Amino acid sequence: MITSQEAYQIIQQYTFPKQNEKVALLSSKGRILAESITADRDFPPFNRVAMDGIAFAFEGINPAAILVEQIQFAGETQKQLQDTHACIEIMTGAILPLGCDTVVRYEDILVEEIEGKKVAKITIPFEEITRGQNVHRQGSDKIAGQTLLEAGIRISPAEIAVMASVGKQEVQVVASPKVAVISTGDELVDISIKPESHQIRMSNSYMLAAALQTWNIEAQLFHLTDDPEVLMEKLTQILEEHDVILLSGGVSAGKKDYVPEILAQLGVKKCFHKVAQKPGKPFWFGVKDIEHSESTKLVFALPGNPVSTFLCFCKYALPVIAQQKPRVEQVSLAKEVFFKPALTYFAPAQVYFENGKMLAIPFEGSGSADFANLTNCDGFVELSSEKSHFEIGEIVNFVRFR
Amino acid sequence: MITSQEAYQIIQQYTFPKQNEKVALLSSKGRILAESITADRDFPPFNRVAMDGIAFAFEGINPAAILVEQIQFAGETQKQLQDTHACIEIMTGAILPLGCDTVVRYEDILVEEIEGKKVAKITIPFEEITRGQNVHRQGSDKIAGQTLLEAGIRISPAEIAVMASVGKQEVQVVASPKVAVISTGDELVDISIKPESHQIRMSNSYMLAAALQTWNIEAQLFHLTDDPEVLMEKLTQILEEHDVILLSGGVSAGKKDYVPEILAQLGVKKCFHKVAQKPGKPFWFGVKDIEHSESTKLVFALPGNPVSTFLCFCKYALPVIAQQKPRVEQVSLAKEVFFKPALTYFAPAQVYFENGKMLAIPFEGSGSADFANLTNCDGFVELSSEKSHFEIGEIVNFVRFR
């Protein structure tokens, strides 16, 4: 049986076929940028006034009496100072008028009407004013042609703002994989059906579909009955139409667990079956080669108990599907844990902050079939297979799901 | 000028009108549950077989030779053991046959054909078998009628699974507020237009709309020119049709900053203007009463520089709009910071984990107008206005935006 680390490494060797697509700017949130974004102009594109007040030429100005020639509003074409000792009223966001280099805000001046003319007087000591103040110089943040965003980054609201500022109405992003979520098990019925006493409603597919939504991935849901012919026909089609397949259930030793055999017949080769971990020991992973491509189709057969399904999904499948290296978080255990088996133990846990540390309370609960283990927790603490006693304060990795 | 804490407290006193709505199960992800969810059956709903193998009555069984009567598959109606010393083959997920109480997995038995009959033999010491093993007892996780989820919680994939398991095809959730995002400033042009040399493209609206998407909130975007008549007409209509208004720009001392005055005329009363913080000092907040309601319409006028806009949005507006108490995270400073003014300083920062601590590298960058401060960071460290020197290792709050 391979270790959790080995399983993780094996999966990382494969990738589904990556394609790019163009989407509207606001639809690119959460996606991976597939082009680099460069500044089409300087940032700011002009000497931008940063305060409401007056603009003038610093050299030789008389702070006691400065004639106000006119007003330069934001959005107006650039005006020109006529008299080098005069000033122009200016508004935040406006282009600095030609002939001016310095801005003093309204709070620091007094404007009076003298002989029908507007005259400004600076009311603070002139030594406090520096040449060029309150002007956001053209190109001081970025210059035209400079790279603003590199291809390969994850797009968040900040990157959307950057792309808006250079006029990207459409953005090239990496296409999401086509994902099929398949539940198997004849005891399962859809949530729209009232179950008989020996049946239960399927819930894993909905959980996985909801988790994929976070990454803007629309999964197609299937339920397949334990019938070899149906399985063969449906799996053939699903494999053709999807890049990644998430199966839940159907990979144990049962008499009707036909899935692994049928996958093999369909050219999906098993990379591993069973991982030394709890929960999720029966986890199965395989790939199908694609002609003339280095990519493969990925098949994750997740154990059917909800906590096992979710752990295997979050720890192994999601990093590949979302093309996101998992954020490695570390927590201090707030409660000791004893766990004897030589398995990596992923215990659901609640986290909170105290004195700058993130603490985790492992919630051992009532086993891998009980949802409550997930609804009260934020993620899983990852406890090494090489120890059986984990003390309070011990630092361990954390796989976040909330 | 009020402090950042005071501003936060004032905003918390108001709430937009809350309504409930019914959405399809998968559309409820990320929303707030507005009903409580109870178990319609026991969990599990029957004594559920947890292993593939054989089931029998523990009392008086002969482990050396157990007649196999038949097979009970998952999804089949319950079968009955005929001979109390015999067994029934069972598959994971099946209902435990009547007359059986214990399950032994295939790995621990040997099945032989003896005189045309299938006979199982237990291959491990019988002392290792306990009565009731490998059976997930009916109601052991939850009993019918028990509350599974309380109203008011945020719905994540785990909660989706719980609701699927009780057959909720539609869920009552709190409706999202109707949000308008308004940019003002005559220097701004839409991203579809090539700007003149004195113009810049609007980016804040796109940034805010993208940030709201994370919470499944579809914002309506508006751009208003600095014309009092247009502003009056448009703001009247926008106020009527929305619960929350996010304005960016237009609330400083400029000659064309008509917005505060017009809002006052429209019955929006100012709660505060200016907060002792950097960035985002000119932040303005007001509310408009709603007849026969304790709720109000909320108007956030965010300063126009992108970093200021985003800080004020994340710190003050988002917790109200998303109805989400901000997750209080704490970080250790990985770099010292000097900041003299008596303002709360929100510095963009990148975080990483080391020895179980989350460390933050503040990125002071080139001011509140530069996007780069956001694209390289994960959030803002919050540095108290009461100090001017923040040492390496100091623990401070962190406002995450990524």
Side-chain angles (χ1 to χ4, degrees), chain B residues 69-114:
Chain B
E69 291 184 346
Q70 56 178 329
I71 303 188
Q72 167 91 61
F73 285 107
E76 286 184 337
T77 52
Q78 190 176 35
K79 296 185 172 171
Q80 161 116 40
L81 192 66
Q82 302 302 321
D83 173 353
T84 56
H85 297 100
C87 71
I88 291 179
E89 268 189 87
I90 38 71
M91 301 301 139
T92 304
I95 185 168
L96 186 72
L98 265 174
C100 301
D101 59 10
T102 300
V103 167
V104 174
R105 55 183 193 161
Y106 280 132
E107 290 89 331
D108 298 336
I109 62 170
L110 209 69
V111 181
E112 290 176 316
E113 188 100 3
I114 300 175

Side-chain angles (χ1 to χ4, degrees), chain A residues 29 52 89 214 254-255 330 356, chain B residues 29 52 89 214 254-255 356:
Chain A
K29 210 216 102 194
D52 303 312
E89 268 187 89
T214 311
K255 284 271 154 83
Q330 294 170 339
Chain B
K29 211 217 99 193
D52 305 311
E89 268 189 87
T214 310
K255 285 271 153 84

Side-chain angles (χ1 to χ4, degrees), chain A residues 122-166:
Chain A
I122 295 174
T123 55
I124 57 168
F126 194 68
E127 308 84 73
E128 290 180 17
I129 292 167
T130 53
R131 180 200 292 265
Q133 76 174 24
N134 298 327
V135 177
H136 192 186
R137 303 295 304 180
Q138 176 172 348
S140 60
D141 293 339
K142 299 285 178 291
I143 53 168
Q146 202 175 334
T147 300
L148 302 177
L149 301 173
E150 305 271 2
I153 59 148
R154 171 85 51 189
I155 299 167
S156 85
E159 286 76 26
I160 298 268
V162 171
M163 293 191 282
S165 73
V166 298

Side-chain angles (χ1 to χ4, degrees), chain A residues 54-86:
Chain A
I54 54 168
F56 52 81
F58 184 82
E59 189 70 37
I61 197 80
N62 170 16
I66 317 173
L67 180 73
V68 179
E69 290 183 349
Q70 55 177 328
I71 303 188
Q72 166 91 61
F73 286 107
E76 286 184 336
T77 51
Q78 190 176 35
K79 297 188 171 171
Q80 161 119 37
L81 192 66
Q82 303 301 322
D83 172 354
T84 56
H85 297 101

Side-chain angles (χ1 to χ4, degrees), chain B residues 176-193:
Chain B
S176 297
K178 292 192 198 80
V179 180
V181 173
I182 306 174
S183 60
T184 61
D186 283 346
E187 76 276 27
L188 299 178
V189 298
D190 188 60
I191 61 168
S192 59
I193 291 167

Side-chain angles (χ1 to χ4, degrees), chain A residues 182-251:
Chain A
I182 306 174
S183 60
T184 62
D186 284 345
E187 76 277 25
L188 298 179
V189 297
D190 189 61
I191 61 169
S192 58
I193 291 167
K194 190 166 167 57
E196 307 274 327
S197 62
H198 55 283
Q199 296 177 323
I200 57 173
R201 297 186 186 95
M202 60 183 75
S203 55
N204 283 346
S205 300
Y206 288 94
M207 175 169 64
L208 297 177
L212 287 167
Q213 275 182 7
T214 311
W215 304 93
N216 298 309
I217 297 168
E218 192 82 36
Q220 235 189 312
L221 305 191
F222 300 90
H223 178 63
L224 304 184
T225 47
D226 295 334
D227 174 317
E229 271 181 45
V230 172
L231 281 170
M232 176 59 94
E233 189 198 319
K234 293 280 183 186
L235 283 173
T236 305
Q237 198 189 341
I238 292 169
L239 260 170
E240 226 161 74
E241 293 171 358
H242 296 85
D243 303 309
V244 178
I245 291 170
L246 298 172
L247 273 149
S248 93
V251 284

Side-chain angles (χ1 to χ4, degrees), chain B residues 35-232:
Chain B
E35 57 177 324
S36 75
I37 303 291
T38 52
D40 65 330
R41 319 160 74 193
D42 292 337
F43 275 66
F46 49 81
N47 291 329
R48 187 179 164 275
V49 171
M51 286 281 178
D52 305 311
I54 54 168
F56 51 81
F58 185 81
E59 190 69 38
I61 198 80
N62 170 16
I66 317 173
L67 182 72
V68 179
E69 291 184 346
Q70 56 178 329
I71 303 188
Q72 167 91 61
F73 285 107
E76 286 184 337
T77 52
Q78 190 176 35
K79 296 185 172 171
Q80 161 116 40
L81 192 66
Q82 302 302 321
D83 173 353
T84 56
H85 297 100
C87 71
I88 291 179
E89 268 189 87
I90 38 71
M91 301 301 139
T92 304
I95 185 168
L96 186 72
L98 265 174
C100 301
D101 59 10
T102 300
V103 167
V104 174
R105 55 183 193 161
Y106 280 132
E107 290 89 331
D108 298 336
I109 62 170
L110 209 69
V111 181
E112 290 176 316
E113 188 100 3
I114 300 175
E115 294 167 14
K117 285 176 177 163
K118 253 170 126 184
V119 176
K121 178 181 159 184
I122 294 175
T123 54
I124 57 166
F126 195 68
E127 309 85 72
E128 291 182 13
I129 292 167
T130 53
R131 181 201 290 265
Q133 74 174 24
N134 296 329
V135 177
H136 192 187
R137 304 294 304 180
Q138 176 171 349
S140 60
D141 292 340
K142 298 284 177 294
I143 53 168
Q146 202 176 334
T147 300
L148 302 177
L149 301 173
E150 306 272 4
I153 59 148
R154 171 84 50 189
I155 299 168
S156 85
E159 287 75 28
I160 298 268
V162 171
M163 293 191 281
S165 72
V166 299
K168 293 292 295 183
Q169 297 176 261
E170 286 192 313
V171 188
Q172 197 79 20
V173 297
V174 179
S176 297
K178 292 192 198 80
V179 180
V181 173
I182 306 174
S183 60
T184 61
D186 283 346
E187 76 276 27
L188 299 178
V189 298
D190 188 60
I191 61 168
S192 59
I193 291 167
K194 193 167 166 54
E196 307 274 328
S197 62
H198 56 283
Q199 296 177 323
I200 57 174
R201 297 186 185 97
M202 59 183 76
S203 56
N204 283 345
S205 300
Y206 288 93
M207 176 169 65
L208 297 176
L212 288 166
Q213 275 182 6
T214 310
W215 305 92
N216 298 308
I217 297 168
E218 193 82 36
Q220 236 189 310
L221 305 190
F222 298 91
H223 178 63
L224 304 185
T225 46
D226 295 333
D227 173 319
E229 271 181 45
V230 173
L231 281 170
M232 176 60 94

